[in-house]
């Protein structure tokens, strides 16, 4: 049953009592209303919103007050949306600024403004012929309307915002455009549309060149990499080299590795490009030693595990780069997930290559707690050692050698100063 406010009920009773005496004034009001801009017929919207808010009130006075406030809010929303249709650019810019303010922290305002038709004229303001201030106002208004609202995200893309934004690329607008692509790419239905639009090249350039927006650009690229259909666009735009170059910057490394994980898992071409990229395996192996970044360790181990599983040639390159020692460290010091992945890779190297570990059965298990320390005992000689012990000793030597090479490289020292692996272990025990 439809609920009426006190004012509406009073008006209905007056009309009945006067037997149509107010019909003339009603017709006049209708004529006046006809001159208003026909933006959206929002009577039903007003009724629904008012009814919804009135149901939340428990007191009649509170209900009336809430209804009046809802009416005022809707009138304000209608007024600002109507201003978006004005001919004067200044009026439209002011309306966009106001919508940005309204939608910033109000989920109901985002929904109501979209229902009143704010999205289409805002997208229309992404026009190169308008002043840059108007373009910026429209971009941030669209950004705020999309916050936490999947329907608005879909409507913005459907209105043609993706191609409009690509036509506005310039330094002054790049941060706002990147932020919008990040927001819109969060919706699965938009991922392939954005990926095939040409936005990938712009996002990769922002990752490489724009320090202020590189994190948002990388997160947007990560969103796009979730859809396997976008892999080709990403690879052709040179994303592999850009991701490898980003590793080491702790602000973006985790997302760079996550994006690379998506690509190597879904695309053979991505694996092909990664295996041929300069020092790609050495970079990923170095990450395995980042004890203070367990998430990065896990992702790097996953990438290397996928690459090793898919290609014997890649396993050979990894072994030559000293991966066995880094994997052994990871099985001892990494998170449970990292330990599991490292153990699987060691098993792959043992069973499929046969050079790093002996042919006898051997498995590396996770460490057991022993007062916070772990020890591996290494004998001076090898005559009384089993094949498994010899394999562990060799891996420890390679691990030490790999760590010293990394330290020398980071200190800009020549790697020739690092002694060979067989000369590193002179003590009987190695603390971990």
């Amino acid at each position: 049953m439809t609920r009426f406010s006190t004012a509406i009920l009073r008006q209905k009773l007056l009309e009945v009592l006067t037997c149509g005496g107010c019909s003339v004034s009603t017709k006049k009001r209708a004529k006046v209303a006809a001159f208003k801009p026909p933006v959206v017929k929002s009577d039903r919207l007003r009724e629904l919103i008012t009814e919804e808010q009135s149901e939340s009130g428990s007191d009649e006075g509170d209900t009336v007050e809430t209804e009046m406030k809802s009416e005022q809010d809707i009138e304000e929303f209608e007024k600002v949306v109507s201003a978006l249709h004005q001919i004067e650019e200044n009026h439209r810019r002011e309306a966009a600024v106001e919508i940005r303010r309204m939608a910033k922290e109000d989920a109901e305002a985002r929904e109501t403004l979209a229902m009143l038709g704010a999205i289409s004229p805002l997208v229309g303001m992404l026009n190169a012929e308008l002043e840059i201030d108007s373009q910026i106002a429209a971009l941030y208004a669209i950004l705020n309307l999309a916050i936490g609202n999947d329907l608005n995200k879909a409507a913005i893309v459907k209105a043609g915002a993706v191609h409009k934004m690509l036509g506005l690329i310039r330094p002054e607008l790049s941060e706002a455009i990147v932020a919008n692509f990040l927001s819109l790419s969060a919706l699965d239905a938009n991922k392939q549309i954005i990926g095939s639009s040409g936005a990938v090249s712009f996002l990769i350039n922002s990752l490489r060149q724009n320090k202020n927006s590189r994190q948002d650009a990388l997160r947007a690229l990560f969103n796009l990499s979730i859809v396997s259909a976008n892999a080709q666009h990403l690879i052709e735009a040179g994303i592999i080299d850009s991701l490898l170059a980003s590793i080491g910057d702790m602000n973006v490394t985790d997302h760079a590795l996550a994006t690379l994980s998506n690509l190597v898992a879904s695309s053979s071409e991505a694996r092909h490009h990664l295996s041929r990229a300069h020092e790609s395996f050495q970079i990923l192996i170095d990450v395995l030693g980042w004890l203070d970044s367990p998430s990065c360790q896990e992702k790097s181990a996953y990438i290397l595990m996928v690459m090793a599983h898919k290609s014997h040639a890649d396993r050979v390159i990894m072994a030559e780069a000293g991966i066995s020692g880094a994997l052994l460290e990871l099985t001892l010091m990494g998170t449970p997930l990292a330990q599991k992945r490292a153990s699987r890779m060691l098993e792959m190297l043992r069973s499929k290559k046969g050079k790093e570990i002996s042919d006898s059965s051997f498995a590396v298990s996770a460490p057991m707690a022993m007062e916070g320390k772990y020890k591996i005992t290494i004998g001076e000689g090898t005559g009384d050692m089993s094949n498994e012990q010899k394999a562990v000793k060799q891996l420890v030597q390679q691990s030490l050698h790999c760590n010293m090479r990394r330290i020398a490289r980071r200190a800009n020292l020549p790697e020739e100063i690092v002694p060979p692996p067989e000369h590193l272990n002179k003590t009987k025990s190695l603390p971990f």
Side-chain angles (χ1 to χ4, degrees):
M1 181 177 180
T2 305
R3 300 190 178 187
F4 294 90
S5 66
T6 305
I8 296 175
L9 182 59
R10 186 183 299 110
Q11 180 180 353
K12 294 292 184 181
L13 290 173
L14 183 61
E15 290 177 356
V16 172
L17 292 174
T18 56
C19 298
C22 295
S23 59
V24 176
S25 60
T26 302
K27 291 180 180 179
K28 289 182 179 180
R29 285 196 299 270
K31 290 182 180 180
V32 173
F35 289 96
K36 294 182 179 180
V39 179
V40 176
K41 294 182 179 179
S42 56
D43 292 341
R44 180 55 180 164
L45 174 62
R46 183 185 290 105
E47 179 184 342
L48 290 173
I49 295 176
T50 303
E51 181 177 345
E52 179 181 356
Q53 294 183 349
S54 65
E55 289 177 354
S56 63
S58 56
D59 183 77
E60 182 179 355
D62 293 340
T63 301
V64 173
E65 183 178 353
T66 301
E67 289 178 355
M68 293 176 63
K69 185 176 185 302
S70 298
E71 291 282 345
Q72 293 173 356
D73 290 343
I74 295 174
E75 289 177 359
E76 185 178 358
F77 292 152
E78 288 177 333
K79 181 179 179 181
V80 73
V81 173
S82 177
L84 290 174
H85 295 267
Q86 298 293 325
I87 298 176
E88 293 82 1
E89 182 179 338
N90 290 339
H91 293 166
R92 286 183 285 166
R93 179 170 60 249
E94 292 171 359
V97 171
E98 183 65 12
I99 288 175
R100 175 186 179 182
R101 183 193 65 78
M102 291 175 169
K104 184 176 182 179
E105 297 178 354
D106 191 340
E108 292 184 1
R110 296 175 203 133
E111 182 178 354
T112 304
L113 287 166
M115 293 175 67
L116 290 171
I119 290 176
S120 181
L122 284 172
V123 173
M125 290 179 65
L126 304 180
N127 190 327
E129 297 180 356
L130 298 183
E131 295 180 1
I132 189 169
D133 290 342
S134 299
Q135 298 166 358
I136 292 175
L139 283 169
Y140 282 109
I142 291 171
L143 179 65
N144 285 357
L145 285 175
I147 296 174
N149 193 310
D150 289 347
L151 292 177
N152 286 1
K153 287 182 173 71
I156 290 166
V157 171
K158 187 176 181 180
V162 173
H163 293 284
K164 289 267 191 180
M165 288 190 290
L166 291 175
L168 293 181
I169 293 175
R170 64 179 74 176
E172 301 90 340
L173 301 176
S174 61
E175 290 184 29
I177 295 175
V178 169
N180 270 281
F181 277 135
L182 171 59
S183 173
L184 298 175
S185 64
L187 182 65
D188 288 342
N190 290 342
K191 287 180 171 62
Q192 192 167 350
I193 298 173
I194 297 173
S196 61
S197 67
V200 169
S201 297
F202 164 70
L203 291 171
I204 291 177
N205 287 335
S206 297
L207 171 62
R208 292 172 178 167
Q209 302 171 5
N210 195 326
K211 293 182 179 180
N212 294 328
S213 61
R214 67 185 317 230
Q215 292 189 50
D216 284 351
L218 182 54
R219 291 166 62 194
L221 290 167
F222 167 75
N223 288 343
L224 298 180
S225 71
I226 294 173
V227 177
S228 58
N230 287 332
Q232 185 68 27
H233 304 296
L234 293 165
I235 295 166
E236 290 177 353
I239 192 173
I240 300 296
D241 291 333
S242 297
L243 293 176
L244 291 173
S246 300
I247 296 175
D249 180 350
M250 300 313 297
N251 292 321
V252 297
T253 294
D254 193 74
H255 271 95
L257 291 169
T259 306
L260 200 55
S261 298
N262 288 339
L263 292 172
V264 299
S266 63
S267 170
S268 59
E269 188 171 353
R271 295 190 293 270
H272 175 82
H273 278 73
L274 179 60
S275 65
R276 283 155 181 76
H278 180 61
E279 293 188 347
S280 58
F281 289 121
Q282 188 60 61
I283 292 172
L284 294 170
I285 292 171
D286 285 348
V287 177
L288 297 179
W290 293 3
L291 297 178
D292 56 341
S293 301
S295 177
C296 293
Q297 286 181 312
E298 292 172 354
K299 293 177 176 66
S300 182
Y302 175 79
I303 296 167
L304 291 167
M305 184 177 65
V306 172
M307 298 294 290
H309 176 70
K310 296 289 185 179
S311 171
H312 171 75
D314 290 341
R315 291 195 297 273
V316 173
I317 298 174
M318 293 178 197
E320 292 175 351
I323 193 174
S324 298
L327 291 174
L328 177 63
E329 284 187 3
L330 204 56
T331 60
L332 297 173
M333 307 296 291
T335 64
L337 180 57
Q339 291 174 349
K340 180 179 179 181
R341 290 171 176 173
S343 298
R344 289 184 63 182
M345 287 195 66
L346 284 171
E347 179 63 24
M348 280 192 286
L349 292 173
R350 180 195 69 81
S351 61
K352 296 183 179 181
K353 188 171 183 297
K355 291 184 179 180
E356 303 300 328
I357 305 176
S358 65
D359 291 336
S360 58
S361 176
F362 175 71
V364 180
S365 59
M368 298 181 64
M370 294 176 58
E371 299 179 354
K373 289 189 177 182
Y374 308 96
K375 279 193 175 184
I376 297 178
T377 301
I378 307 295
E380 290 289 351
T382 59
D384 57 345
M385 297 175 63
S386 67
N387 290 333
E388 288 83 356
Q389 290 173 322
K390 293 178 182 178
V392 172
K393 179 180 179 180
Q394 182 183 4
L395 290 173
V396 171
Q397 290 172 335
Q398 291 177 348
S399 174
L400 290 173
H401 182 70
C402 184
N403 284 339
M404 293 186 70
R405 286 176 57 191
R406 282 202 296 265
I407 293 171
R409 189 162 52 248
R410 290 175 181 174
N412 295 321
L413 298 174
E415 294 187 11
E416 290 76 12
I417 68 172
V418 180
E422 59 270 14
H423 295 161
L424 291 175
N425 284 334
K426 298 301 181 182
T427 60
K428 292 187 176 182
S429 64
L430 177 66
F432 283 88

